[in-house]
Amino acid sequence: MEEGQLCSPLNPNGNDRTRENFSPSSLTTTCSRSFWAESKAIWSIAGAAIVSRIATSGLTVITQAFVGHIGDLELAAFSLVVGLIVGFDSGILIGMGNALGTLCGQAFGANKHHMLGIYLQRSWLVLMGFAVLLLPLFLFTTPILRFLGQSKDVAQLSGRVALWCIPFHFSFPFYFAIQRYLISQRKNIIIAWSAAVGTIVSVLLNWLFVLKWNMGIDGALASLDIGWWIPAIIQFLYVTCGGCPLTWTGFSREAFYELWPFIKLSFASGVMLCLEIWYYRILVLMTGQIKNTEVIVNSLTICLNINDWELSIPLGFLVATSVRVANQLGARNPRGAKFSILVSTVYSSLVGIMILVLLLVFRGHLGYLFTNSTAVQEAVAKLAILLACTIILNSVQPVLIGVAVGLGKQYLVAYVNIICYYFIGLPFGLILGFVFHLSIMGIWVGMICGTAIQTIVLIFITWRTNWEKEVIQINHQVTTMSSIESFPEE
């Protein structure tokens, strides 16, 4: 990447001016202006995505905190269902929603605004269909966990918890799709506010149902269901009642056309993210083969939920990177796409380092937030070191995945995930955990190695990307898809 290109990314036709006025001071000024302009664009998207994910992840973490003070058995059952069943389920549906972000971002950058509403409706159809297909995971949670080696008491209570999770499972297709649709056109405020409202209501209901009315784990799960549906309903009403007049023209039968290409991209996106999320969920699965299961399950899932909450920040930059890359490539500006990647990486890394320091300083106190068990608190403090290593890797990796999403190459990341995670990281972890008897810490160390290798591979792929070629391919695709639709251009 040339110096002049780096410093004028937002104006693809600005090369002549840069060359005419080239001097150290003018170059510095141009770089500074470009950096802050791109920073504003990145943070406007990432900020809303971060608030939304923190709020929705907070729904689970807050509910887990209330459940943890009911009893260790209840906490173990809730942790297993959220960590395994809901984690697998939401991973697929969030990933499939990313396909909508790719298409909407590229179309919006190319000023094909009328296509976004059609894409949104197609995404609802595809995601709802997959949500129905995933329903058996919730209906047969108890036999699934028993088959995987969990104790009878934990598995039976987990089956009851899973049934309570079905209502908010069906909020995912609406919530994840609408969020990507809104973010692609920079309508960020409604996303943040609706998520915040859902979280506040859930906290109040947890306090009322669990602490005041003593409804136990049923009350906690009811509040979780309501907390998830509130932002989904708010955003749906915003879109369909006039909040997006440029891109939403009403329900249309056009949404039923060209579904197969949409399903393929959505499925590739779902597999990509599910492989990512499921990788660390395997840690929870392995606890069924280790002694002192309840303590290990509780401490590990507390760490993973903290990781999920922290991951809200780099995932916010994933969304911002994917949107900015898609917008810039749709607008035929490859230099702008490369500059967006640089800015996102800088901010995500800085935030990751700050959180790493805070985590190491306060690692001895993390367990107190979730449980009264001294054994679990001590186990959390030990695992916090590995959690810190995971967090620092996660500060860069999601941005690189966002590049692939912006390009529409989710399938490529899926292949990389399979090789680095399941053929390298996981076997190495199992060797350390069971052959060298390092237990759950050995498994986690091996899996961290897999993540490190994956990050290196993604850096290489991003560096070797031919951006000018990608611009040509993406704009040809957008033009072709636009010509299929029967709606006139806005």
Side-chain angles (χ1 to χ4, degrees):
M1 188 184 299
E2 297 178 4
E3 210 170 23
Q5 291 177 332
L6 178 65
C7 296
S8 57
L10 303 180
N11 182 6
N13 299 316
N15 291 339
D16 294 338
R17 181 179 175 184
T18 301
R19 290 173 183 147
E20 291 173 4
N21 300 321
F22 179 82
S23 69
S25 60
S26 64
L27 179 61
T28 301
T29 301
T30 303
C31 285
S32 178
R33 288 177 179 173
S34 297
F35 184 84
W36 290 115
E38 185 61 26
S39 297
K40 183 179 179 181
I42 290 290
W43 275 105
S44 67
I45 301 170
I50 291 169
V51 170
S52 174
R53 182 169 174 86
I54 288 177
T56 52
S57 297
L59 290 172
T60 302
V61 175
I62 291 166
T63 303
Q64 184 180 40
F66 278 94
V67 172
H69 292 282
I70 296 173
D72 285 349
L73 179 62
E74 287 81 1
L75 178 59
F78 180 85
S79 299
L80 276 173
V81 172
V82 171
L84 295 179
I85 306 301
V86 176
F88 179 82
D89 168 62
S90 62
I92 290 180
L93 296 178
I94 291 173
M96 295 182 73
N98 283 338
L100 177 65
T102 299
L103 296 173
C104 284
Q106 293 172 356
F108 193 78
N111 292 320
K112 305 294 183 180
H113 299 139
H114 64 282
M115 296 171 62
L116 274 71
I118 301 299
Y119 286 154
L120 174 60
Q121 294 172 63
R122 286 178 184 166
S123 185
W124 282 339
L125 292 172
V126 173
L127 265 64
M128 185 57 70
F130 273 86
V132 173
L133 292 177
L134 290 168
L135 192 57
L137 289 174
F138 296 87
L139 298 176
F140 302 105
T141 295
T142 295
I144 290 173
L145 293 180
R146 288 292 290 153
F147 175 77
L148 295 175
Q150 294 298 330
S151 66
K152 182 178 180 181
D153 291 343
V154 172
Q156 286 182 343
L157 185 56
S158 296
R160 176 178 157 195
V161 171
L163 293 178
W164 271 103
C165 293
I166 292 176
F168 77 79
H169 157 72
F170 280 106
S171 73
F172 291 168
F174 294 97
Y175 182 76
F176 296 147
I178 296 175
Q179 187 183 75
R180 293 296 180 267
Y181 165 82
L182 292 171
I183 284 179
S184 67
Q185 49 192 307
R186 306 280 291 277
K187 292 184 178 293
N188 304 315
I189 299 299
I190 184 63
I191 296 172
W193 279 108
S194 61
V197 170
T199 302
I200 292 170
V201 171
S202 182
V203 172
L204 293 175
L205 291 177
N206 264 300
W207 172 80
L208 183 65
F209 293 165
V210 178
L211 299 184
K212 289 297 182 181
W213 292 352
N214 296 317
M215 293 174 61
I217 194 169
D218 293 337
L221 292 167
S223 69
L224 185 62
D225 288 334
I226 296 171
W228 266 104
W229 267 105
I230 286 175
I233 292 172
I234 291 175
Q235 292 176 23
F236 177 82
L237 292 175
Y238 176 83
V239 170
T240 58
C241 295
C244 304
L246 188 64
T247 58
W248 178 263
T249 56
F251 293 98
S252 171
R253 63 183 180 182
E254 298 290 336
F256 294 90
Y257 301 161
E258 297 297 319
L259 277 177
W260 180 240
F262 202 100
I263 291 173
K264 289 193 295 183
L265 181 59
S266 297
F267 185 73
S269 299
V271 170
M272 178 198 74
L273 193 59
C274 190
L275 289 171
E276 186 86 24
I277 294 175
W278 185 249
Y279 184 53
Y280 281 101
R281 300 301 175 188
I282 289 176
L283 281 168
V284 181
L285 182 62
M286 291 296 102
T287 59
Q289 313 301 321
I290 298 173
K291 295 180 180 180
N292 201 12
T293 301
E294 281 192 17
V295 172
I296 294 295
V297 168
N298 291 339
S299 60
L300 182 60
T301 51
I302 285 172
C303 286
L304 292 181
N305 278 328
I306 292 173
N307 180 61
D308 287 347
W309 210 356
E310 183 279 334
L311 196 59
S312 302
I313 298 174
L315 285 181
F317 287 107
L318 183 159
V319 173
T321 304
S322 65
V323 170
R324 291 297 294 162
V325 167
N327 287 166
Q328 297 282 21
L329 294 180
R332 301 178 184 271
N333 185 9
R335 286 177 299 171
K338 290 183 281 187
F339 195 69
S340 296
I341 298 168
L342 174 62
V343 175
S344 289
T345 302
V346 168
Y347 282 118
S348 185
S349 299
L350 289 175
V351 173
I353 292 171
M354 291 172 58
I355 294 176
L356 169 69
V357 172
L358 290 174
L359 182 64
L360 292 177
V361 170
F362 295 104
R363 66 188 183 93
H365 305 283
L366 294 176
Y368 292 96
L369 298 174
F370 300 94
T371 180
N372 296 323
S373 172
T374 302
V376 174
Q377 292 167 6
E378 292 175 353
V380 169
K382 292 178 181 178
L383 292 174
I385 297 175
L386 298 181
L387 174 62
C389 295
T390 303
I391 285 174
I392 197 64
L393 281 173
N394 285 343
S395 65
V396 176
Q397 174 219 43
V399 174
L400 300 173
I401 295 176
V403 176
V405 174
L407 290 167
K409 297 186 179 297
Q410 291 90 330
Y411 67 90
L412 183 60
V413 179
Y415 291 138
V416 172
N417 287 350
I418 291 174
I419 295 172
C420 295
Y421 286 167
Y422 298 95
F423 286 93
I424 299 176
L426 183 58
F428 185 41
L430 293 176
I431 291 172
L432 291 177
F434 294 105
V435 177
F436 289 91
H437 306 291
L438 296 178
S439 188
I440 201 68
M441 294 193 73
I443 301 174
W444 200 343
V445 168
M447 297 174 79
I448 288 174
C449 292
T451 302
I453 295 172
Q454 181 235 29
T455 302
I456 294 170
V457 172
L458 291 178
I459 290 173
F460 178 78
I461 291 174
T462 302
W463 178 57
R464 295 288 297 173
T465 297
N466 186 331
W467 294 95
E468 286 72 21
K469 182 179 179 181
E470 294 297 334
V471 165
I472 295 173
Q473 291 178 345
I474 286 172
N475 278 273
H476 174 72
Q477 173 185 299
V478 171
T479 301
T480 302
M481 292 296 294
S482 179
S483 65
I484 295 173
E485 310 298 342
S486 62
F487 290 107
E489 184 71 353
E490 295 289 343

